[in-house]
Amino acid sequence: METVKAKPDNELIFEINTLRKQKNAVILAHYYQVPQIQDIADFIGDSLGLAQKAAETKADLIVFAGVHFMAETAKILNPSKKVLLPDLEAGCSLADSCPPEAFGEFLKKHPGHNVISYINCSAAIKTMSDVICTSGNAVKIVESFPKDQKIIFAPDKNLGGYINRITGRNMVLWDGTCEVHDILSTEAIINLKIENPDAKLIAHPECKAQVLELADFVGSTNEMLNFTKRDGSKKYIVATESGILHQMRKDSPGKEFLIVPTDETCSCNDCPYMKMNTLEKLYLCLKNETPEIVLEAEVIEKAKKPINRMLEISKKAGLI
Ligand code: 13P
Ligand code: SF4
């Protein structure tokens, strides 16, 4: 792979700014990206915000600083545009936990069910779904179905279980998890709460049930960020990926944010896939217009329907 390691960040940023103007490109970045990428993005968001921006963009070229399923979603919504991902290896453990063949067998075992899939899944899984959801609209999407409708929810069992508990539904859950959120340590949270009685615990719904039960607030990445802006507390214990701390600290400089460590020996909770993208790879990707997301026309056609249904429900509910 080509590298430009010799270039300092300010030169890379200058080149990126020149190229994006020349090529009428938009840089969309998830909150889990490294701070340098968040700071130069045209839009930073959670999965719902990014899907909405991808659906609306007038740019000719989309550079998606996120992971593979997010860039695929942007491609599905913009089939005639070039969609680039700075590192094609930037995948997702949750998406990988749901292979299409095994999911097809699972669907056969549950006839008469509608399928709601979390956006963190491959384009192939999206083609097998009735509607897509994100953590920011999952409740509204589930509640758009009649109470007695049988539903399969895939692939995140933690998010699905949380939605079951708060909506009183009994959706059948695919057994998948996010390798970052699922291992956040309950023991560390209890200790942090004891040491910081004035702090509020905020958690992402991809965390396991024991963590969510302890939380003062549960929400998508963007909802957590907005909560810390409007809430009166001065200290937060944050149970999610560490990338969000950059925006939380920028938006609320007077507040303190304590990240929850994992159960594993490595105490960082960086998503290894999100952190594959670097400023250097972003520059090369804009310059060379590769790696590009390529999908078959038939997959795009089928996967578009459940994504558009999600966007319509979210618009009606005032979420976007
Ligand atoms: P949201 O962006 O919906 O908060 O999801 C978090 C996540 O894990 C993205 O991969
Ligand atoms: Fe996937 Fe989890 Fe990383 Fe999000 S944080 S991209 S769900 S592995």
Side-chain angles (χ1 to χ4, degrees):
M1 187 193 257
E2 189 188 346
T3 57
V4 283
K5 277 210 172 66
K7 277 190 200 279
D9 278 5
N10 59 348
E11 274 182 38
L12 286 174
I13 292 167
F14 178 81
E15 303 276 2
I16 289 169
N17 286 337
T18 309
L19 284 167
R20 76 167 136 195
K21 260 189 224 133
Q22 266 172 17
K23 300 190 179 202
N24 188 27
V26 67
I27 301 173
L28 304 178
H30 192 271
Y31 287 118
Y32 297 170
Q33 292 296 289
V34 292
Q36 300 96 308
I37 292 184
Q38 291 192 38
D39 289 344
I40 57 147
D42 292 292
F43 178 78
I44 331 168
D46 64 2
S47 304
L48 180 58
L50 290 165
Q52 184 203 4
K53 284 287 164 194
E56 288 172 351
T57 187
K58 301 266 183 295
D60 296 316
L61 187 65
I62 301 172
V63 180
F64 212 112
V67 290
H68 197 267
F69 74 81
M70 294 179 171
E72 271 189 345
T73 304
K75 179 68 188 176
I76 292 162
L77 292 166
N78 295 280
S80 61
K81 292 182 182 170
K82 222 181 221 184
V83 178
L84 308 171
L85 181 65
D87 189 326
L88 218 45
E89 298 295 308
C92 167
S93 66
L94 191 48
D96 290 349
S97 76
C98 195
E101 232 172 82
F103 192 57
E105 291 304 315
F106 186 76
L107 297 188
K108 275 189 211 149
K109 285 188 193 137
H110 298 91
H113 286 65
N114 277 159
V115 180
I116 303 179
S117 293
Y118 190 32
I119 200 163
N120 302 37
C121 66
S122 64
I125 297 297
K126 288 184 175 80
T127 66
M128 300 158 97
S129 307
D130 293 293
V131 63
I132 301 303
C133 75
T134 74
S135 55
N137 61 18
V139 171
K140 292 285 180 206
I141 300 288
V142 171
E143 284 179 341
S144 71
F145 287 87
K147 269 238 163 221
D148 57 353
Q149 174 63 53
K150 291 186 202 164
I151 295 172
I152 286 174
F153 187 92
D156 190 359
K157 68 172 177 189
N158 288 341
L159 174 64
Y162 172 70
I163 304 293
N164 270 346
R165 291 193 294 284
I166 63 170
T167 61
R169 304 279 173 134
N170 188 23
M171 299 184 293
V172 177
L173 307 179
W174 177 263
D175 187 11
T177 56
C178 156
E179 71 176 44
V180 180
H181 290 89
D182 193 51
I183 60 164
L184 296 184
S185 166
T186 315
E187 199 190 324
I189 288 174
I190 292 167
N191 289 335
L192 279 167
K193 275 171 92 73
I194 294 168
E195 288 158 18
N196 302 278
D198 53 333
K200 280 189 183 155
L201 172 66
I202 57 173
H204 193 280
E206 287 174 19
C207 295
K208 55 193 175 223
Q210 302 97 289
V211 171
L212 300 179
E213 273 157 27
L214 293 168
D216 297 292
F217 180 79
V218 177
S220 76
T221 311
N222 202 42
E223 288 167 342
M224 291 168 84
L225 179 65
N226 286 338
F227 179 77
T228 60
K229 286 198 265 184
R230 68 170 184 264
D231 181 65
S233 303
K234 288 268 172 273
K235 207 189 263 188
Y236 300 89
I237 301 166
V238 184
T240 191
E241 211 268 359
S242 57
I244 187 60
L245 294 187
H246 181 60
Q247 289 305 317
M248 285 181 176
R249 288 180 177 137
K250 269 174 94 167
D251 288 343
S252 307
K255 298 189 177 185
E256 194 181 341
F257 300 97
L258 309 166
I259 197 83
V260 175
T262 67
D263 281 327
E264 311 285 296
T265 40
C266 160
S267 64
C268 69
N269 41 10
D270 284 340
C271 169
Y273 313 102
M274 287 279 185
K275 297 300 193 279
M276 281 180 179
N277 296 324
T278 60
L279 211 50
E280 178 201 0
K281 287 182 194 169
L282 185 64
Y283 159 68
L284 288 172
C285 143
L286 246 177
K287 185 172 96 143
N288 301 327
E289 299 190 20
T290 179
E292 184 184 354
I293 300 291
V294 181
L295 288 169
E296 283 171 27
E298 199 188 328
V299 170
I300 291 180
E301 213 34 56
K302 278 192 190 156
K304 197 181 241 177
K305 284 185 193 135
I307 299 172
N308 279 335
R309 186 167 167 188
M310 169 189 83
L311 292 171
E312 273 161 33
I313 296 169
S314 303
K315 262 188 207 133
K316 268 194 201 142
L319 297 172
I320 55 174

